[in-house]
C-alpha cells in the first residue's frame, strides 16, 4: 500500500475516534459536584449558641429586666449572621416591634440572654421589618 493511502486511512480512523469520543462526552451528563464535609466538633462546644435555643428565648437587660424575646436570626448571602431580631414592647402579642441587634451584643450568662441596653433604648430604636417572603 502506498504511504499516502496509509496516511489517509490513519487520518480517517483518528477522525472517527475523535468524533465518537466527542459524541460520548456530549451524551454523558456532568457528574454531580462533590459535597464538601466540614471539619467540626461532634458536640456543641462551650460558649456556642444553637439557633433553636436562641429563637424564642427571653432577653434581659443588665438590671435583670425582661426586654423581649428573640424572634428570628437573619443571615446574609454568605451564611453569616447579619442580625438577631428581638421582639420588644409587646404585651400578650400586641403593641410590640422588632429591633435588630448584632449577635456579639447578646451575651449568654447562666442560660440567660442579656443585652447591654435597656428596654426603653430598644423601644426608641428604629424598627426592623421582617420580610415574610423569604
Amino acid at each position: 500500500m502506498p504511504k499516502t493511502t496509509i496516511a489517509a486511512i490513519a487520518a480517517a480512523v483518528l477522525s472517527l475516534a475523535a468524533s465518537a469520543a466527542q459524541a460520548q462526552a456530549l451524551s454523558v451528563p456532568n457528574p454531580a459536584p462533590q459535597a464538601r464535609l466540614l471539619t467540626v466538633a461532634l458536640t456543641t462546644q462551650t460558649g456556642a449558641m444553637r439557633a433553636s435555643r436562641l429563637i424564642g428565648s427571653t432577653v434581659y437587660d443588665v438590671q435583670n429586666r425582661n426586654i423581649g424575646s428573640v424572634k428570628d436570626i437573619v443571615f446574609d448571602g454568605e451564611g453569616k449572621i447579619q442580625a438577631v431580631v428581638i421582639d420588644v414592647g409587646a404585651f400578650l402579642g400586641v403593641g410590640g416591634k422588632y429591633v435588630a441587634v448584632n449577635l456579639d451584643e447578646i451575651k449568654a450568662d447562666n442560660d440567660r440572654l442579656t443585652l447591654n441596653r435597656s428596654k426603653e433604648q430598644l423601644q426608641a430604636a428604629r424598627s426592623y421589618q421582617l420580610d415574610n417572603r423569604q
Side-chain angles (χ1 to χ4, degrees):
M1 245 186 230
K3 288 184 182 180
T4 56
T5 305
I6 294 173
I9 292 172
V13 169
L14 289 174
S15 176
L16 286 173
S19 295
Q22 189 176 26
Q24 184 179 8
L26 292 175
S27 66
V28 176
N30 289 336
Q34 295 294 319
R36 288 184 13 202
L37 297 177
L38 299 177
T39 305
V40 295
L42 298 177
T43 61
T44 305
Q45 300 297 300
T46 303
M49 287 190 261
R50 293 183 0 222
S52 61
R53 298 272 319 258
L54 194 62
I55 296 173
S57 295
T58 302
V59 180
Y60 297 90
D61 66 8
V62 291
Q63 286 84 28
N64 201 30
R65 296 183 302 166
N66 180 335
I67 294 175
S69 63
V70 176
K71 176 66 176 173
D72 215 335
I73 300 171
V74 180
F75 295 88
D76 66 14
E78 296 176 1
K80 296 178 183 169
I81 295 177
Q82 184 180 32
V84 176
V85 180
I86 300 175
D87 185 359
V88 296
F91 181 72
L92 298 176
V94 179
K97 71 175 187 176
Y98 299 144
V99 176
V101 298
N102 291 325
L103 178 62
D104 61 0
E105 294 181 65
I106 297 176
K107 305 297 180 219
D109 299 320
N110 302 321
D111 287 335
R112 293 171 57 112
L113 300 178
T114 58
L115 183 65
N116 195 15
R117 294 192 202 174
S118 69
K119 187 169 194 166
E120 294 77 24
Q121 288 173 315
L122 289 179
Q123 288 172 333
R126 201 169 103 198
S127 291
Y128 184 87
Q129 184 67 39
L130 282 175
D131 184 359
N132 291 328
R133 295 177 290 162
Q134 297 176 341

